[in-house]
Amino acid sequence: MSFLLLPTSSITTSPIVASKERSIIEPGKKKDKETIETAKLVTRDKIPNPNSEIVQPNSLPPLVSALKTSAEQNAASFHFPGHNRGRAAPSSLVQLIGLKPFLHDLPELPELDNLFSPEGPILEAQKQAANLFGSSETWFLVGGTTCGIHAAVMATCSPGEYLILPRSSHISAISAMVLSGAIPKYIIPEYDCHWDIAGGVTLSEVEKAIKELQMEGQKIGAVFITSPTYHGICSNVTDISKLCHSYGIPVIVDEAHGAHLGFHHKLPCSALQQGADLAVQSTHKVLSSLTQSSMLHMSGNIVDRERICRCLQTLQSTSPSYLLLASLDAARAQLSENPETIFNNAIDLAFETKNLIRNIPGISVLGTPGISSFPLIDPLRLTFGFWQLGLSGFEADEMLYRDHGVISELVGTRSISFAINLGTSRDHIQRLASGIKKISAASFSFQKIKEKVDHCGSSPFTDSTMSLNPRESFFASKRKVAIGESLGRICGELICPYPPGIPVMVPGEIITKRALDYLLQVRNKGAIISGASDPLLSSIVICDI
């Protein structure tokens, strides 16, 4: 899409040169009223005058540089989006974020490249990301890690093929099977009832699933692993990858919470470093890109590259946000400046936090010793248990927020998780530790300990049974019934406490008393139930077959 009459040859020039050729008002020429008003608008937001001499941002990352140069042109804009480079930006949003985001919210102009067939700055940005993260190829995602997981499963699993995955996988893996037609072979992960959290996946469980499917004569499309989990628990991807590759099976790793792994000797190795074929990372979580931006990395030659490209073209928006794309490029550049030392301070603060809190009476710390089979936990993810104080995670979280202004990342029935990142400050660490100490002092009671310490739930999906595969159940006729009438019926909706987005009920599974009791329990403790047509769980949608 172009709005200028340019010589054909100009389209093939470098992004910066092409941007210069798109300048419409030459320096020294008289400017019309619209141009003057636009300049005033820009000045109010302290943005450099677009007619001032542009300093070439040679030191900027390639896509950031191209976006900056394009935004600084004094163009007569007849293209989308409708806010017209901020001229028609909603005033309420301008008051919130200023004008600069609108000036840089540009469409697929020639000098900004095309996400689906990159030849310029997007291609160069993705190449530099691949080099940093150790992949053979990297794709930028504007639909989050969900989009990458959908593409990874669709690229490896054809309809009727099996996907081996933990039952505790994120809901995006379920929707990926709806899209691909893959059939799940679930692995039940280790479950710690004291923490009410699921662990990782063991090598023996993966091997057992592969052999069972082979004995049944079924074709396996891929093995899907979540590592690290939301709580930072890592699986042994190295051994799992070796096993799967011996059978010619590709390994997909949902590494949404691990884009930073492998960049410090105190951090676990990344999925790619451990032999994974596809790894999908939320670059916006521990790293610093904008929310909703992620990366899909490929290694080796087991997975068909062209099939991934076709899947991404099917799944991603044809109008991608260049702010999101540029933020991925910028986050990569930030990390590449000091990849071996950039996390020094964050890791030091994480250990300092753990040391401050581990001795507070009534507080448990995940990882000391934590889940026995998975001793490797991301040190930047801290999870503290409050059950010895007679408190749920929801109650403790409310106290921390209300009384101390502390906002956590993940709240559970018995614990709270906190994410340490590059922006974490010692002042905030001290506020967190002080808040937990005050909660302990106010809540500590031997009677409460006696009441709560023996309470230990069980995994809500231990006895799950699949009657229809995800795709069959998605398109099946459905109806709503009272919760008391749903036992033994086929679930027709995906129900999960959120976060972390791990489904307790999956469409196509038989509804069990264990799952219902768990959902009602966590709802009563304050969890938000996502996916249910009735959030109060007085009724449930079932497959009417």
Side-chain angles (χ1 to χ4, degrees):
M1 184 271 298
S2 177
F3 61 87
L4 296 179
L5 295 176
L6 294 177
T8 303
S9 61
S10 69
I11 302 298
T12 60
T13 57
S14 69
I16 292 178
V17 173
S19 299
K20 282 186 173 182
E21 291 178 346
R22 293 171 66 90
S23 181
I24 295 175
I25 299 180
E26 297 175 7
K29 284 196 174 183
K30 187 175 181 180
K31 304 166 186 60
D32 59 23
K33 182 178 179 181
E34 181 185 357
T35 305
I36 294 172
E37 290 303 315
T38 301
K40 289 180 180 178
L41 189 65
V42 170
T43 303
R44 283 202 301 269
D45 202 44
K46 298 181 181 180
I47 300 174
N49 190 316
N51 293 299
S52 63
E53 183 178 353
I54 297 174
V55 178
Q56 295 304 323
N58 294 326
S59 61
L60 293 177
L63 189 51
V64 174
S65 174
L67 188 59
K68 180 178 187 294
T69 303
S70 185
E72 288 177 338
Q73 301 311 304
N74 190 6
S77 303
F78 296 92
H79 59 73
F80 300 136
H83 60 68
N84 203 313
R85 303 193 181 211
R87 296 179 180 91
S91 60
S92 58
L93 194 53
V94 171
Q95 292 179 39
L96 182 66
I97 64 175
L99 274 173
K100 282 188 177 181
F102 292 99
L103 290 174
H104 295 86
D105 181 30
L106 298 174
E108 291 177 297
L109 303 174
E111 66 267 24
L112 295 181
D113 209 357
N114 186 298
L115 182 61
F116 296 127
S117 55
E119 298 177 345
I122 292 179
L123 178 62
E124 179 59 28
Q126 291 185 156
K127 283 183 176 179
Q128 292 189 21
N131 182 62
L132 177 66
F133 288 95
S135 66
S136 57
E137 187 157 359
T138 290
W139 291 268
F140 284 0
L141 308 173
V142 293
T145 292
T146 291
C147 173
I149 288 173
H150 289 170
V153 173
M154 290 174 66
T156 54
C157 298
S158 297
E161 295 181 353
Y162 277 78
L163 177 68
I164 297 173
L165 74 164
R167 180 55 182 74
S168 56
S169 297
H170 188 265
I171 56 175
S172 57
I174 309 301
S175 54
M177 289 186 284
V178 172
L179 292 169
S180 67
I183 302 173
K185 172 68 172 178
Y186 288 123
I187 295 171
I188 303 302
E190 180 176 329
Y191 177 81
D192 190 299
C193 63
H194 284 294
W195 289 94
D196 190 21
I197 63 174
V201 173
T202 63
L203 177 67
S204 60
E205 288 292 332
V206 174
E207 186 171 24
K208 177 184 176 184
I210 292 174
K211 289 182 176 179
E212 286 179 354
L213 288 174
Q214 286 191 330
M215 288 181 64
E216 296 169 6
Q218 304 293 349
K219 182 172 174 52
I220 303 169
V223 168
F224 182 94
I225 304 295
T226 303
S227 183
T229 66
Y230 209 148
H231 295 91
I233 300 168
C234 299
S235 297
N236 188 338
V237 177
T238 298
D239 289 350
I240 292 173
S241 296
K242 289 178 181 177
L243 171 69
C244 293
H245 292 164
S246 71
Y247 289 96
I249 302 171
V251 176
I252 304 168
V253 177
D254 174 357
E255 203 174 22
H257 293 272
H260 59 296
L261 298 188
F263 288 101
H264 193 280
H265 68 277
K266 291 184 179 179
L267 292 172
C269 291
S270 71
L272 291 180
Q273 289 170 335
Q274 296 184 74
D277 300 284
L278 294 173
V280 195
Q281 299 175 338
S282 293
T283 319
H284 64 88
K285 293 192 186 298
V286 177
L287 300 184
S288 304
S289 66
L290 293 176
T291 296
Q292 198 177 310
S293 60
S294 296
M295 295 186 191
L296 169 60
H297 304 290
M298 182 179 76
S299 183
N301 54 14
I302 295 181
V303 181
D304 184 351
R305 175 199 177 274
E306 295 302 321
R307 189 166 170 180
I308 293 177
C309 292
R310 289 194 298 271
C311 291
L312 288 175
Q313 190 166 5
T314 300
L315 296 164
Q316 295 224 81
S317 170
T318 55
S319 301
S321 166
Y322 275 83
L323 289 172
L324 295 181
L325 294 173
S327 77
L328 287 169
D329 193 24
R332 186 275 315 159
Q334 179 187 41
L335 181 57
S336 64
E337 289 176 2
N338 300 290
E340 297 178 357
T341 60
I342 189 172
F343 286 106
N344 280 354
N345 185 59
I347 290 174
D348 288 345
L349 286 174
F351 283 114
E352 179 180 328
T353 307
K354 186 174 288 189
N355 289 333
L356 285 171
I357 295 174
R358 72 167 72 248
N359 294 321
I360 296 177
I363 302 298
S364 303
V365 181
L366 184 65
T368 54
I371 296 181
S372 58
S373 299
F374 304 94
L376 198 58
I377 296 180
D378 176 11
L380 297 185
R381 194 61 48 89
L382 304 179
T383 300
F384 304 118
F386 293 84
W387 65 84
Q388 293 186 66
L389 297 176
L391 296 173
S392 70
F394 300 105
E395 292 169 325
D397 183 68
E398 172 61 25
M399 293 177 184
L400 284 172
Y401 176 67
R402 181 190 65 219
D403 301 332
H404 307 282
V406 172
I407 302 176
S408 65
E409 171 55 35
L410 172 65
V411 186
T413 57
R414 300 167 70 78
S415 64
I416 309 176
S417 294
F418 302 86
I420 308 297
N421 53 48
L422 297 174
T424 303
S425 67
R426 177 165 280 102
D427 173 65
H428 289 173
I429 292 297
Q430 292 171 345
R431 192 194 300 186
L432 170 62
S434 174
I436 292 179
K437 189 173 183 179
K438 289 179 180 178
I439 289 175
S440 171
S443 305
F444 195 77
S445 162
F446 287 102
Q447 184 175 355
K448 284 186 176 181
I449 290 178
K450 185 177 180 180
E451 292 174 356
K452 296 290 183 177
V453 77
D454 293 331
H455 173 74
C456 188
S458 58
S459 170
F461 37 74
T462 299
D463 56 355
S464 60
T465 303
M466 185 177 68
S467 179
L468 299 175
N469 69 50
R471 186 174 178 87
E472 290 172 336
S473 59
F474 183 86
F475 291 105
S477 297
K478 299 176 179 67
R479 63 186 177 92
K480 188 178 291 188
V481 299
I483 191 168
E485 301 174 27
S486 67
L487 274 177
R489 306 302 296 266
I490 301 173
C491 185
E493 55 186 350
L494 195 151
I495 307 176
C496 59
Y498 197 88
I502 295 173
V504 172
M505 290 188 188
V506 172
E509 289 184 346
I510 302 298
I511 297 173
T512 65
K513 185 177 186 303
R514 186 196 300 268
L516 285 178
D517 288 346
Y518 180 84
L519 282 172
L520 293 172
Q521 178 191 19
V522 297
R523 184 206 63 182
N524 292 337
K525 288 187 176 181
I528 297 173
I529 306 300
S530 173
S533 57
D534 179 5
L536 297 179
L537 294 181
S538 59
S539 62
I540 288 180
V541 171
I542 63 170
C543 293
D544 191 17
I545 60 171

